[in-house]
């Protein structure tokens, strides 16, 4: 074992995007009085559904065997668009 994480299981799941969220968060990087003390963090919420049970017409996508995730919106978009481009090539 070389310490790498095996992500191959994800190939059996489909992404069901569930929405964007904006959260106010304390800005720990403040170093001057003029800096913004609170910042808005943009997040994406999505669900990984087993591909065989994922239903695009349902808001939740699936009812069992899923995992719910929240990540930074920029991370989600970069990963999603990179995968979409790779798939279409």
């Amino acid at each position: 074992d070389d310490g790498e994480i095996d992500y191959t299981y994800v190939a059996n799941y489909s992404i069901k995007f569930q929405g964007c969220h904006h959260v106010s968060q304390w800005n720990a990087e403040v170093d001057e009085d003029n800096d913004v003390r609170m910042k808005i963090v943009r997040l994406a919420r999505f669900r990984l559904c087993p591909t065989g049970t994922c239903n695009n017409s349902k808001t939740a996508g699936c009812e069992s065997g899923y995992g719910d995730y929240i990540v930074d919106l920029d991370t989600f978009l970069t990963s999603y668009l990179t995968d979409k481009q790779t798939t279409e090539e």
Side-chain angles (χ1 to χ4, degrees):
D1 183 21
D2 56 7
E4 289 188 27
I5 299 172
D6 180 15
Y7 291 108
T8 56
Y9 72 92
V10 177
N12 298 320
Y13 287 82
S14 297
I15 293 177
K16 177 65 177 179
F17 180 73
Q18 295 189 311
C20 294
H21 302 278
H22 296 94
V23 178
S24 296
Q25 181 178 343
W26 180 256
N27 185 0
E29 298 172 8
V30 172
D31 60 357
E32 293 184 21
D33 290 337
N34 295 336
D35 282 347
V36 177
R37 303 278 181 209
M38 298 296 291
K39 63 181 179 179
I40 301 296
V41 179
R42 301 177 316 156
L43 304 170
R45 180 175 176 224
F46 65 97
R47 176 172 282 184
L48 288 181
C49 292
T51 298
T53 62
C54 192
N55 185 336
N56 283 335
S57 63
K58 290 186 176 181
T59 303
C62 57
E63 297 175 2
S64 64
Y66 61 84
D68 287 331
Y69 299 89
I70 297 176
V71 297
D72 177 77
L73 183 59
D74 291 337
T75 301
F76 179 84
L77 287 174
T78 299
S79 298
Y80 180 79
L81 294 174
T82 299
D83 179 67
K84 190 162 182 69
Q85 181 180 15
T86 303
T87 303
E88 291 177 357
E89 291 177 350

